[in-house]
Structure formats: structure tokens, C-alpha cells
Amino acid sequence: EVQLVESGGGLVQPGGSLRLSCVASGFTFDDAVIGWFRQAPGKEREGVSYLGTRLNSVDLADSVKGRFSVAVDAIKRTVYLQMSNLKPEDTGVYYCAAQIESPVGTVEKVFYDYWGQGTQVTVSS
């Protein structure tokens, strides 16, 4: 059974930092593409980043470049989203997702088959 479990969300002041974790199981981790997405209240879910170990490819959305970064620990089957200089507009539920069959390097959500339950990030003073 494919499982994706996010953690690390919370309340942080503007300018602060958080690190989100996504622990994956139930599939060949190195072959998959893992994406991070977020959804603010009343808005569409948007792609934040993706990482594909076998593809040797990683990218971030323009809105978070220079502030967010992605890292992977293949032994722990975990993908991290390091978020710095957080802004109120970064508030939302953050999800990780996986492409397992024929993965492509993209943050388009339609390509992702499996999703975690999400973790809330709130940036507020």
C-alpha cells in the first residue's frame, strides 16, 4: 500500500522557517517523483516543488525560489521541504504527492497519483 505522511507544519511568524517532511512507503522510492503542493483557503492547490532521484531532476515554483529548498534522504525514504523567510501568503495546507508510473518532472498536480493527508502551515504575527 502506497503511503505518504507529511509532518512539520505549524504556526510561524513572518520571516521564520519550517522544515516539512514527507515519509514515503509502498513503492520503489528512487524511481518515483515526489512533489510538494499547497492549498490556501479558497484557492486552487498549487505545485511548490518536485524531486526525482532517478530523473536526477528537481525544481521549485518561481514564487518560492530563493526561499524554499528540497532535499532527500533515500535511506529514510523521506523528502524534505525547507522553507525560509516565510510570508503570510505561504499559509496553507501542504501536501506531498507521488508519481510512480512513468514519472515526469513537473509540478502539475494531474500527473500525481498518490497524496498524503497534508500538514497545516500558518504564517502570522
Side-chain angles (χ1 to χ4, degrees), residues 3 7 12 19 23 30 35-36 41 82 87 97 103 107 113 115 119-120 125:
Q3 284 194 324
S7 62
V12 63
R19 188 179 77 161
V23 180
D30 288 351
W36 281 101
Q82 179 67 50
K87 304 175 181 180
V107 292
D113 305 305
W115 294 80
T119 185
Q120 176 70 45
S125 55

Side-chain angles (χ1 to χ4, degrees), residues 3-72:
Q3 284 194 324
L4 299 162
V5 180
E6 305 97 332
S7 62
L11 173 63
V12 63
Q13 291 187 342
S17 299
L18 282 175
R19 188 179 77 161
L20 305 183
S21 301
C22 172
V23 180
S25 62
F27 59 93
T28 304
F29 183 80
D30 288 351
D31 290 343
V33 167
I34 306 295
W36 281 101
F37 296 80
R38 64 186 182 186
Q39 188 165 18
K43 293 190 176 181
E44 291 281 327
R45 191 172 298 187
E46 63 172 350
V48 175
S49 72
Y50 77 84
L51 182 148
T53 301
R54 190 75 68 194
L55 291 177
N56 193 28
S57 179
V58 60
D59 202 6
L60 293 154
D62 288 343
S63 59
V64 303
K65 280 181 179 176
R67 301 188 298 121
F68 291 12
S69 62
V70 185
V72 61

